[in-house]
Amino acid sequence: MSLNISSKQMEVTPAIRTHIEERLAKLDKYHTQLINPHFMIHKQPNSYEVEATIGSPLGDLIAKAVNEDLYNAINEVEKKLESQLIKLKEKKEH
């Protein structure tokens, strides 16, 4: 899976990339193909905004979070993506 991370205001360090990859790995337990995961990081004056768009056979996952701490914002996005994935899987099963 190729992960696309972009940011205009800051450099995406290997540590940031690794953290996002580890968070995305948590979604593997749902056995759904993640297509073209794209994370966009916006550095704001006092916070970070992280936006994620991921395609899947069940439907598109889109999440956004704003936090003073970049890693916490990434974690919040992962939780939102996970809850969307659960909803999509439940909808497909009915």
Side-chain angles (χ1 to χ4, degrees):
M1 161 177 74
S2 70
L3 172 60
N4 186 356
I5 304 171
S6 49
S7 173
K8 291 184 178 118
Q9 300 89 349
M10 58 180 270
E11 183 187 341
V12 178
T13 64
I16 294 169
R17 175 171 284 283
T18 301
H19 188 74
I20 291 174
E21 287 171 351
E22 287 169 355
R23 286 313 201 161
L24 271 184
K26 289 185 166 211
L27 301 179
D28 287 346
K29 66 183 171 195
Y30 296 103
H31 306 292
T32 298
Q33 181 187 4
L34 301 179
I35 305 162
N36 257 351
H38 182 227
F39 278 72
M40 192 65 186
I41 300 170
H42 304 281
K43 186 170 182 346
Q44 298 174 338
N46 298 319
S47 62
Y48 294 92
E49 180 182 277
V50 178
E51 214 172 316
T53 347
I54 303 174
S56 87
L58 303 171
D60 289 342
L61 307 171
I62 299 167
K64 184 189 218 173
V66 179
N67 197 301
E68 291 174 7
D69 181 87
L70 174 60
Y71 292 93
N72 285 340
I74 293 168
N75 297 350
E76 287 175 35
V77 165
E78 182 264 326
K79 287 177 186 149
K80 290 177 182 181
L81 291 170
E82 186 173 21
S83 82
Q84 285 180 38
L85 195 52
I86 291 167
K87 284 181 189 168
L88 286 171
K89 280 188 86 74
E90 286 172 355
K91 195 184 281 185
K92 185 183 174 208
E93 289 168 6
H94 293 292

Coordinates of all heavy atoms in Angstrom, one line a residue:
M1 N 0.9 -1.2 0.0 CA 0.0 0.0 0.0 C 0.9 1.2 0.0 O 1.8 1.4 0.8 CB -0.9 -0.1 1.3 CG -1.5 1.3 1.7 SD -2.6 1.1 3.1 CE -1.5 0.9 4.4
S2 N 0.7 2.1 -0.9 CA 1.5 3.3 -1.0 C 0.7 4.4 -0.2 O -0.5 4.7 -0.5 CB 1.7 3.8 -2.4 OG 0.6 4.2 -3.0
L3 N 1.4 5.0 0.7 CA 0.8 6.0 1.6 C 1.3 7.4 1.1 O 2.5 7.6 1.0 CB 1.2 5.8 3.0 CG 0.9 6.8 4.1 CD1 -0.6 7.0 4.1 CD2 1.4 6.4 5.4
N4 N 0.4 8.3 0.8 CA 0.7 9.6 0.4 C 0.5 10.6 1.5 O -0.6 10.7 2.0 CB -0.1 10.0 -0.8 CG 0.3 11.3 -1.5 OD1 1.1 12.0 -1.0 ND2 -0.4 11.6 -2.6
I5 N 1.5 11.3 2.0 CA 1.4 12.3 3.0 C 2.0 13.6 2.5 O 3.1 13.7 1.9 CB 2.3 11.9 4.3 CG1 1.9 10.5 4.8 CG2 2.1 12.9 5.4 CD1 2.8 10.0 5.8
S6 N 1.2 14.7 2.6 CA 1.6 15.9 2.1 C 1.4 17.1 3.1 O 0.5 17.0 3.9 CB 1.0 16.3 0.7 OG -0.4 16.1 0.8
S7 N 2.3 18.0 3.0 CA 2.1 19.2 3.9 C 2.9 20.4 3.2 O 4.0 20.2 2.7 CB 2.8 18.9 5.2 OG 2.8 20.1 6.0
K8 N 2.2 21.5 3.2 CA 2.9 22.7 2.5 C 3.7 23.5 3.5 O 4.7 24.1 3.2 CB 1.8 23.6 1.9 CG 1.2 22.9 0.7 CD 0.2 23.9 0.1 CE -0.4 23.3 -1.2 NZ -1.8 23.1 -1.1
Q9 N 3.3 23.5 4.8 CA 3.9 24.4 5.8 C 5.1 23.7 6.6 O 5.7 24.4 7.3 CB 2.9 24.9 6.8 CG 1.7 25.7 6.2 CD 0.6 24.8 5.7 OE1 0.7 23.6 5.7 NE2 -0.5 25.4 5.4
M10 N 5.2 22.4 6.4 CA 6.3 21.8 7.2 C 6.8 20.5 6.5 O 6.1 20.0 5.6 CB 5.7 21.4 8.6 CG 4.5 20.5 8.5 SD 3.8 20.0 10.1 CE 4.7 18.6 10.5
E11 N 7.9 20.0 7.0 CA 8.5 18.8 6.4 C 7.9 17.6 7.1 O 7.7 17.6 8.3 CB 10.0 18.8 6.6 CG 10.7 17.6 6.0 CD 12.2 17.6 6.4 OE1 12.7 18.6 6.8 OE2 12.7 16.5 6.2
V12 N 7.5 16.6 6.3 CA 7.0 15.3 6.8 C 8.2 14.5 7.2 O 8.9 14.0 6.3 CB 6.1 14.6 5.8 CG1 5.6 13.3 6.4 CG2 4.9 15.5 5.5
T13 N 8.5 14.4 8.4 CA 9.7 13.6 8.9 C 9.4 12.1 8.9 O 8.3 11.7 8.9 CB 10.1 14.0 10.3 OG1 9.0 13.7 11.2 CG2 10.4 15.5 10.4
P14 N 10.5 11.3 8.9 CA 10.3 9.9 9.0 C 9.5 9.5 10.2 O 8.7 8.5 10.1 CB 11.7 9.3 9.0 CG 12.6 10.4 8.3 CD 11.9 11.7 8.7
A15 N 9.7 10.2 11.3 CA 8.9 9.8 12.5 C 7.4 10.1 12.3 O 6.6 9.2 12.8 CB 9.4 10.7 13.7
I16 N 7.0 11.1 11.6 CA 5.6 11.4 11.4 C 5.1 10.3 10.4 O 4.0 9.8 10.7 CB 5.4 12.8 10.7 CG1 5.8 13.9 11.7 CG2 4.0 13.0 10.2 CD1 5.9 15.3 11.1
R17 N 5.8 10.0 9.4 CA 5.4 9.0 8.4 C 5.2 7.6 9.2 O 4.2 6.9 9.0 CB 6.4 8.8 7.3 CG 6.1 7.7 6.3 CD 7.0 7.7 5.1 NE 6.7 8.7 4.2 CZ 5.6 8.6 3.3 NH1 4.9 7.5 3.3 NH2 5.4 9.6 2.5
T18 N 6.1 7.3 10.0 CA 6.1 6.0 10.8 C 4.8 6.0 11.7 O 4.1 5.0 11.7 CB 7.3 5.8 11.6 OG1 8.5 5.8 10.7 CG2 7.3 4.5 12.4
H19 N 4.6 7.1 12.3 CA 3.4 7.2 13.2 C 2.1 7.0 12.4 O 1.2 6.2 12.9 CB 3.4 8.5 14.0 CG 2.4 8.6 15.0 ND1 2.5 7.9 16.2 CD2 1.1 9.2 15.1 CE1 1.4 8.1 17.0 NE2 0.6 8.9 16.3
I20 N 2.0 7.6 11.3 CA 0.8 7.5 10.5 C 0.7 6.0 10.0 O -0.4 5.4 10.0 CB 0.8 8.5 9.3 CG1 0.6 9.9 9.8 CG2 -0.3 8.1 8.3 CD1 0.7 11.0 8.8
E21 N 1.8 5.4 9.5 CA 1.8 4.0 9.1 C 1.3 3.1 10.2 O 0.5 2.2 9.9 CB 3.1 3.6 8.5 CG 3.5 4.2 7.2 CD 4.9 4.0 6.8 OE1 5.7 3.5 7.6 OE2 5.2 4.4 5.6
E22 N 1.8 3.3 11.4 CA 1.4 2.5 12.5 C -0.1 2.6 12.8 O -0.7 1.6 13.1 CB 2.3 2.8 13.8 CG 3.7 2.3 13.7 CD 4.6 2.9 14.8 OE1 4.1 3.8 15.6 OE2 5.8 2.5 14.8
R23 N -0.6 3.8 12.7 CA -2.0 4.0 13.0 C -2.8 3.4 11.9 O -3.9 2.8 12.2 CB -2.3 5.5 13.1 CG -1.8 6.2 14.3 CD -2.3 5.3 15.5 NE -2.3 6.0 16.7 CZ -3.0 5.6 17.8 NH1 -3.6 4.5 17.7 NH2 -3.0 6.2 18.9
L24 N -2.4 3.5 10.7 CA -3.2 2.8 9.6 C -3.1 1.3 9.7 O -4.1 0.7 9.3 CB -2.6 3.2 8.2 CG -3.1 4.5 7.6 CD1 -2.5 4.7 6.2 CD2 -4.6 4.5 7.5
A25 N -2.1 0.8 10.2 CA -1.9 -0.7 10.4 C -3.0 -1.2 11.3 O -3.5 -2.3 11.2 CB -0.6 -1.0 10.9
K26 N -3.5 -0.4 12.2 CA -4.6 -0.8 13.1 C -5.9 -1.1 12.4 O -6.7 -1.8 12.8 CB -4.9 0.3 14.2 CG -3.8 0.4 15.2 CD -4.2 1.4 16.3 CE -3.3 1.3 17.4 NZ -3.9 1.6 18.7
L27 N -6.0 -0.5 11.2 CA -7.2 -0.7 10.4 C -7.2 -2.1 9.6 O -8.2 -2.5 9.1 CB -7.4 0.4 9.4 CG -7.6 1.8 10.0 CD1 -7.8 2.9 8.9 CD2 -8.7 1.9 11.0
D28 N -6.0 -2.7 9.6 CA -5.9 -4.0 8.9 C -6.7 -5.1 9.5 O -7.1 -6.0 8.8 CB -4.4 -4.4 8.9 CG -3.5 -3.6 8.0 OD1 -4.1 -2.9 7.2 OD2 -2.3 -3.7 8.2
K29 N -7.0 -5.0 10.8 CA -7.8 -6.0 11.4 C -9.2 -6.1 10.9 O -9.9 -7.1 11.1 CB -7.9 -5.8 13.0 CG -8.6 -4.6 13.4 CD -8.5 -4.4 14.9 CE -9.1 -3.1 15.3 NZ -8.7 -2.7 16.7
Y30 N -9.7 -5.1 10.1 CA -11.0 -5.2 9.5 C -11.0 -5.8 8.1 O -12.0 -5.9 7.5 CB -11.6 -3.8 9.4 CG -11.8 -3.2 10.8 CD1 -10.9 -2.2 11.3 CD2 -12.8 -3.6 11.6 CE1 -11.1 -1.7 12.6 CE2 -13.0 -3.1 12.9 CZ -12.1 -2.2 13.3 OH -12.3 -1.7 14.6
H31 N -9.8 -6.3 7.7 CA -9.7 -7.1 6.4 C -10.3 -6.4 5.3 O -11.0 -7.0 4.5 CB -10.2 -8.5 6.6 CG -9.6 -9.2 7.8 ND1 -8.3 -9.6 7.8 CD2 -10.1 -9.6 9.0 CE1 -8.0 -10.2 9.0 NE2 -9.2 -10.2 9.7
T32 N -10.1 -5.1 5.1 CA -10.6 -4.3 4.0 C -9.4 -3.7 3.3 O -8.5 -3.1 4.0 CB -11.6 -3.2 4.5 OG1 -12.7 -3.9 5.1 CG2 -12.1 -2.4 3.4
Q33 N -9.5 -3.7 2.0 CA -8.4 -3.1 1.2 C -8.5 -1.6 1.3 O -9.5 -1.0 1.1 CB -8.5 -3.5 -0.2 CG -7.4 -2.9 -1.1 CD -7.6 -3.2 -2.6 OE1 -8.6 -3.8 -2.9 NE2 -6.6 -2.8 -3.4
L34 N -7.4 -1.0 1.7 CA -7.3 0.5 1.8 C -6.7 1.0 0.5 O -5.5 0.6 0.2 CB -6.5 1.0 3.0 CG -7.1 0.5 4.4 CD1 -6.2 1.0 5.5 CD2 -8.5 1.0 4.6
I35 N -7.4 1.8 -0.3 CA -7.0 2.2 -1.6 C -6.5 3.7 -1.5 O -7.3 4.6 -1.1 CB -8.1 2.1 -2.6 CG1 -8.6 0.6 -2.6 CG2 -7.6 2.5 -4.0 CD1 -10.0 0.5 -3.2
N36 N -5.3 3.9 -1.9 CA -4.8 5.3 -2.0 C -4.9 6.1 -0.8 O -5.5 7.2 -0.8 CB -5.5 6.0 -3.2 CG -4.6 6.1 -4.4 OD1 -3.5 5.8 -4.4 ND2 -5.2 6.5 -5.5
P37 N -4.4 5.7 0.3 CA -4.5 6.5 1.5 C -3.8 7.9 1.4 O -2.6 7.8 1.0 CB -3.9 5.7 2.7 CG -3.4 4.5 2.0 CD -3.7 4.5 0.6
H38 N -4.4 9.0 1.6 CA -3.8 10.3 1.5 C -4.0 11.1 2.8 O -5.1 11.3 3.2 CB -4.3 11.0 0.3 CG -3.7 12.3 0.1 ND1 -4.3 13.5 -0.2 CD2 -2.3 12.7 0.1 CE1 -3.5 14.5 -0.3 NE2 -2.3 14.0 -0.1
F39 N -2.9 11.5 3.4 CA -3.0 12.4 4.6 C -2.4 13.7 4.2 O -1.4 13.9 3.5 CB -2.1 11.8 5.7 CG -2.8 10.7 6.5 CD1 -3.0 9.5 5.9 CD2 -3.2 10.9 7.8 CE1 -3.6 8.4 6.6 CE2 -3.8 9.9 8.5 CZ -4.0 8.7 7.9
M40 N -3.2 14.8 4.6 CA -2.8 16.1 4.4 C -2.6 16.8 5.8 O -3.5 16.7 6.6 CB -3.9 16.8 3.6 CG -3.6 18.1 3.1 SD -2.4 18.0 1.8 CE -2.2 19.8 1.5
I41 N -1.4 17.4 6.0 CA -1.1 18.0 7.3 C -1.0 19.5 7.1 O -0.2 20.0 6.2 CB 0.2 17.5 7.9 CG1 0.1 16.0 8.1 CG2 0.5 18.2 9.2 CD1 1.4 15.3 8.5
H42 N -1.8 20.3 7.8 CA -1.8 21.7 7.8 C -1.3 22.2 9.1 O -1.9 21.9 10.1 CB -3.2 22.3 7.5 CG -3.8 21.8 6.3 ND1 -3.5 22.2 5.0 CD2 -4.8 20.8 6.1 CE1 -4.3 21.6 4.1 NE2 -5.0 20.7 4.8
K43 N -0.2 23.0 9.1 CA 0.3 23.6 10.3 C -0.4 25.0 10.5 O -0.3 25.8 9.6 CB 1.8 23.8 10.3 CG 2.4 24.3 11.6 CD 3.9 24.2 11.6 CE 4.5 24.6 12.8 NZ 3.8 25.3 13.8
Q44 N -1.1 25.1 11.5 CA -1.8 26.4 11.8 C -1.0 27.1 12.9 O -0.2 26.5 13.6 CB -3.3 26.1 12.2 CG -4.0 25.5 11.0 CD -5.4 25.0 11.4 OE1 -5.7 24.9 12.5 NE2 -6.2 24.9 10.3
P45 N -1.3 28.4 13.2 CA -0.6 29.1 14.2 C -0.4 28.4 15.6 O 0.7 28.3 16.1 CB -1.3 30.4 14.4 CG -2.0 30.6 13.1 CD -2.3 29.2 12.6
N46 N -1.5 27.8 16.1 CA -1.4 27.1 17.4 C -1.8 25.7 17.4 O -2.0 25.1 18.4 CB -2.3 27.9 18.4 CG -1.8 29.3 18.6 OD1 -0.6 29.6 18.7 ND2 -2.8 30.2 18.7
S47 N -2.0 25.1 16.2 CA -2.4 23.7 16.1 C -2.0 23.1 14.8 O -1.5 23.7 13.9 CB -3.9 23.7 16.3 OG -4.6 24.4 15.3
Y48 N -2.4 21.8 14.7 CA -2.2 21.1 13.4 C -3.6 20.5 13.0 O -4.4 20.1 13.8 CB -1.3 19.9 13.7 CG 0.1 20.3 14.0 CD1 0.5 20.4 15.3 CD2 1.1 20.5 13.0 CE1 1.8 20.8 15.6 CE2 2.4 20.9 13.3 CZ 2.7 21.0 14.6 OH 4.0 21.4 14.9
E49 N -3.8 20.6 11.7 CA -5.0 20.0 11.2 C -4.6 18.8 10.3 O -3.7 19.0 9.4 CB -5.8 21.0 10.3 CG -7.0 20.5 9.7 CD -7.7 21.5 8.8 OE1 -8.4 22.4 9.4 OE2 -7.5 21.5 7.6
V50 N -5.1 17.7 10.6 CA -4.8 16.5 9.8 C -6.0 16.0 9.1 O -7.1 15.8 9.7 CB -4.2 15.3 10.7 CG1 -3.9 14.1 9.9 CG2 -3.0 15.8 11.4
E51 N -5.9 15.8 7.8 CA -7.1 15.4 7.0 C -6.7 14.1 6.3 O -5.6 14.0 5.8 CB -7.3 16.4 6.0 CG -8.8 16.6 5.6 CD -8.9 17.9 4.7 OE1 -8.3 18.9 5.0 OE2 -9.6 17.7 3.7
A52 N -7.6 13.1 6.3 CA -7.2 11.8 5.6 C -8.4 11.4 4.7 O -9.5 11.6 5.0 CB -7.0 10.7 6.7
T53 N -8.0 10.9 3.5 CA -9.0 10.4 2.6 C -8.5 9.0 2.2 O -7.3 8.9 1.7 CB -9.1 11.2 1.3 OG1 -8.5 12.5 1.5 CG2 -10.5 11.5 0.9
I54 N -9.3 8.0 2.3 CA -8.9 6.7 1.9 C -10.1 6.0 1.2 O -11.2 6.0 1.7 CB -8.6 5.8 3.2 CG1 -7.5 6.5 4.0 CG2 -8.1 4.4 2.8 CD1 -7.2 5.8 5.3
G55 N -9.7 5.4 0.1 CA -10.8 4.7 -0.7 C -10.8 3.2 -0.1 O -9.8 2.7 0.4
S56 N -12.0 2.6 -0.2 CA -12.1 1.2 0.1 C -13.2 0.6 -0.7 O -14.0 1.3 -1.2 CB -12.3 1.0 1.6 OG -13.7 1.1 1.9
P57 N -13.2 -0.7 -0.8 CA -14.3 -1.4 -1.6 C -15.7 -1.1 -1.0 O -16.7 -1.1 -1.7 CB -14.0 -2.9 -1.5 CG -12.5 -2.9 -1.2 CD -12.2 -1.7 -0.4
L58 N -15.7 -0.8 0.3 CA -17.0 -0.5 1.0 C -17.5 0.9 0.8 O -18.6 1.2 0.9 CB -16.8 -0.8 2.5 CG -16.4 -2.2 2.9 CD1 -16.0 -2.2 4.4 CD2 -17.4 -3.2 2.5
G59 N -16.5 1.8 0.5 CA -16.9 3.3 0.3 C -15.7 4.1 0.8 O -14.7 3.6 1.3
D60 N -15.8 5.4 0.6 CA -14.6 6.3 0.9 C -14.7 6.6 2.4 O -15.7 6.8 3.0 CB -14.7 7.5 0.1 CG -14.3 7.3 -1.4 OD1 -13.7 6.2 -1.7 OD2 -14.7 8.2 -2.2
L61 N -13.5 6.7 3.0 CA -13.3 7.1 4.4 C -12.7 8.5 4.4 O -11.7 8.7 3.7 CB -12.4 6.2 5.1 CG -12.8 4.7 5.1 CD1 -11.6 3.9 5.7 CD2 -14.1 4.4 5.8
I62 N -13.3 9.5 5.1 CA -12.8 10.8 5.1 C -12.8 11.3 6.6 O -13.9 11.2 7.2 CB -13.6 11.8 4.2 CG1 -13.5 11.3 2.8 CG2 -13.1 13.2 4.3 CD1 -14.5 12.0 1.9
A63 N -11.7 11.7 7.1 CA -11.7 12.2 8.5 C -10.8 13.4 8.6 O -9.8 13.6 7.8 CB -11.2 11.1 9.4
K64 N -11.1 14.2 9.6 CA -10.3 15.5 9.8 C -10.3 15.7 11.3 O -11.2 15.5 12.1 CB -11.1 16.6 9.2 CG -10.4 17.9 9.2 CD -11.4 19.0 8.6 CE -10.7 20.0 7.8 NZ -11.6 20.9 7.2
A65 N -9.1 16.1 11.8 CA -9.0 16.5 13.2 C -8.0 17.6 13.4 O -7.1 17.8 12.6 CB -8.4 15.3 14.0
V66 N -8.3 18.4 14.4 CA -7.4 19.6 14.8 C -7.0 19.4 16.2 O -7.8 19.1 17.1 CB -8.2 20.9 14.6 CG1 -7.3 22.1 15.0 CG2 -8.7 21.1 13.2
N67 N -5.7 19.5 16.5 CA -5.2 19.4 17.8 C -3.9 20.2 17.9 O -3.2 20.4 16.9 CB -4.9 17.9 18.1 CG -4.8 17.6 19.6 OD1 -3.9 18.2 20.2 ND2 -5.6 16.8 20.1
E68 N -3.5 20.6 19.1 CA -2.3 21.3 19.3 C -1.1 20.4 19.1 O 0.0 20.9 18.7 CB -2.2 21.9 20.8 CG -3.2 23.0 21.1 CD -3.2 23.4 22.5 OE1 -2.4 22.9 23.3 OE2 -4.1 24.2 22.9
D69 N -1.3 19.1 19.3 CA -0.2 18.1 19.2 C -0.4 17.4 17.9 O -1.5 16.8 17.7 CB -0.2 17.2 20.4 CG 0.9 16.2 20.2 OD1 2.1 16.4 20.6 OD2 0.6 15.1 19.7
L70 N 0.5 17.3 17.0 CA 0.4 16.7 15.7 C 0.0 15.2 15.9 O -0.8 14.6 15.2 CB 1.7 16.8 14.9 CG 1.7 16.1 13.6 CD1 0.6 16.5 12.6 CD2 3.1 16.3 12.9
Y71 N 0.7 14.5 16.8 CA 0.5 13.1 17.0 C -0.9 12.8 17.5 O -1.5 11.8 17.1 CB 1.6 12.5 17.9 CG 3.0 12.5 17.2 CD1 3.9 13.5 17.3 CD2 3.3 11.4 16.3 CE1 5.1 13.6 16.7 CE2 4.6 11.5 15.6 CZ 5.4 12.5 15.8 OH 6.6 12.5 15.2
N72 N -1.4 13.6 18.4 CA -2.8 13.4 18.9 C -3.8 13.7 17.7 O -4.8 13.0 17.7 CB -3.0 14.4 20.0 CG -2.4 13.9 21.3 OD1 -2.0 12.8 21.5 ND2 -2.2 14.9 22.2
A73 N -3.5 14.6 16.9 CA -4.4 14.9 15.7 C -4.4 13.6 14.8 O -5.5 13.2 14.4 CB -3.9 16.1 14.9
I74 N -3.2 13.0 14.6 CA -3.2 11.8 13.8 C -4.0 10.7 14.4 O -4.7 10.0 13.8 CB -1.7 11.4 13.5 CG1 -1.0 12.4 12.7 CG2 -1.6 10.0 12.9 CD1 0.5 12.3 12.6
N75 N -3.8 10.5 15.8 CA -4.6 9.5 16.5 C -6.1 9.7 16.4 O -6.8 8.8 16.2 CB -4.1 9.5 18.0 CG -2.7 9.2 18.2 OD1 -2.0 8.7 17.2 ND2 -2.2 9.4 19.4
E76 N -6.5 11.0 16.5 CA -7.9 11.3 16.4 C -8.5 10.9 15.0 O -9.6 10.3 14.9 CB -8.2 12.8 16.6 CG -8.1 13.2 18.1 CD -8.2 14.7 18.3 OE1 -9.0 15.3 17.5 OE2 -7.5 15.2 19.1
V77 N -7.7 11.2 14.0 CA -8.1 10.9 12.6 C -8.2 9.3 12.5 O -9.2 8.8 11.9 CB -7.1 11.4 11.5 CG1 -7.3 10.8 10.2 CG2 -7.2 12.9 11.4
E78 N -7.3 8.6 13.0 CA -7.3 7.1 12.9 C -8.6 6.6 13.6 O -9.2 5.7 13.1 CB -6.1 6.5 13.6 CG -6.0 5.0 13.5 CD -6.5 4.4 14.8 OE1 -6.3 4.9 15.9 OE2 -7.1 3.3 14.7
K79 N -8.9 7.2 14.8 CA -10.2 6.7 15.5 C -11.4 7.0 14.6 O -12.3 6.2 14.6 CB -10.3 7.4 16.8 CG -9.3 6.9 17.8 CD -9.4 7.6 19.1 CE -8.3 7.2 20.1 NZ -7.8 8.2 21.0
K80 N -11.4 8.2 14.0 CA -12.6 8.5 13.1 C -12.7 7.6 11.9 O -13.8 7.1 11.5 CB -12.5 10.0 12.7 CG -12.7 10.9 13.8 CD -12.6 12.4 13.4 CE -12.8 13.3 14.5 NZ -12.7 14.7 14.1
L81 N -11.5 7.3 11.3 CA -11.5 6.4 10.2 C -12.0 5.0 10.6 O -12.7 4.3 9.9 CB -10.1 6.3 9.6 CG -9.5 7.5 8.9 CD1 -8.0 7.3 8.6 CD2 -10.3 7.8 7.6
E82 N -11.5 4.6 11.8 CA -11.9 3.2 12.3 C -13.4 3.2 12.5 O -14.1 2.2 12.1 CB -11.2 2.9 13.6 CG -11.4 1.5 14.1 CD -10.5 1.2 15.3 OE1 -10.0 2.1 16.0 OE2 -10.4 0.0 15.5
S83 N -14.0 4.2 13.1 CA -15.5 4.1 13.3 C -16.2 4.2 12.0 O -17.3 3.5 11.9 CB -15.9 5.2 14.3 OG -16.1 6.4 13.6
Q84 N -15.7 4.9 11.0 CA -16.4 4.9 9.7 C -16.3 3.5 9.0 O -17.3 3.1 8.5 CB -15.7 5.9 8.8 CG -16.1 7.3 9.1 CD -15.4 8.3 8.1 OE1 -15.2 8.0 6.9 NE2 -14.9 9.4 8.6
L85 N -15.2 2.9 9.2 CA -15.0 1.6 8.6 C -15.9 0.6 9.2 O -16.5 -0.3 8.5 CB -13.5 1.2 8.8 CG -13.0 0.0 8.0 CD1 -13.3 0.2 6.5 CD2 -11.5 -0.2 8.2
I86 N -16.1 0.6 10.5 CA -17.0 -0.3 11.3 C -18.4 -0.1 10.7 O -19.1 -1.0 10.4 CB -16.9 0.0 12.8 CG1 -15.6 -0.5 13.3 CG2 -18.1 -0.7 13.5 CD1 -15.2 -0.1 14.7
K87 N -18.8 1.2 10.6 CA -20.2 1.5 10.1 C -20.4 1.0 8.7 O -21.4 0.4 8.4 CB -20.4 3.0 10.1 CG -20.7 3.6 11.5 CD -21.0 5.1 11.4 CE -21.1 5.6 12.8 NZ -21.0 7.1 12.8
L88 N -19.4 1.1 7.8 CA -19.5 0.7 6.5 C -19.6 -0.9 6.4 O -20.4 -1.4 5.7 CB -18.3 1.1 5.6 CG -18.3 2.6 5.2 CD1 -17.0 3.0 4.6 CD2 -19.4 2.9 4.3
K89 N -18.8 -1.5 7.3 CA -18.8 -3.0 7.3 C -20.2 -3.5 7.8 O -20.7 -4.5 7.3 CB -17.7 -3.6 8.2 CG -16.4 -3.6 7.5 CD -15.3 -4.3 8.2 CE -15.3 -5.8 8.0 NZ -14.7 -6.3 6.8
E90 N -20.7 -2.8 8.8 CA -22.0 -3.2 9.4 C -23.1 -3.0 8.3 O -24.0 -3.8 8.2 CB -22.4 -2.4 10.6 CG -21.6 -2.9 11.8 CD -21.7 -2.0 13.1 OE1 -22.4 -0.9 12.9 OE2 -21.2 -2.3 14.1
K91 N -23.0 -1.9 7.6 CA -24.0 -1.6 6.6 C -24.0 -2.7 5.5 O -25.0 -3.1 5.0 CB -23.7 -0.2 6.0 CG -24.9 0.3 5.1 CD -24.5 1.7 4.5 CE -24.6 2.8 5.5 NZ -24.3 4.1 4.8
K92 N -22.8 -3.1 5.1 CA -22.6 -4.1 4.1 C -23.2 -5.5 4.5 O -23.8 -6.2 3.7 CB -21.2 -4.3 3.7 CG -20.9 -5.2 2.5 CD -19.5 -5.4 2.3 CE -19.3 -6.4 1.2 NZ -18.1 -7.2 1.3
E93 N -23.1 -5.8 5.8 CA -23.6 -7.1 6.3 C -25.1 -7.2 6.4 O -25.6 -8.2 6.4 CB -23.0 -7.3 7.7 CG -21.5 -7.6 7.6 CD -20.8 -7.6 9.0 OE1 -21.5 -7.5 10.0 OE2 -19.5 -7.8 9.0
H94 N -25.8 -6.0 6.4 CA -27.2 -6.1 6.5 C -27.9 -6.1 5.1 O -27.5 -5.7 4.2 CB -27.8 -4.8 7.3 CG -27.4 -4.9 8.7 ND1 -27.8 -5.8 9.6 CD2 -26.5 -4.1 9.4 CE1 -27.3 -5.6 10.8 NE2 -26.5 -4.6 10.7

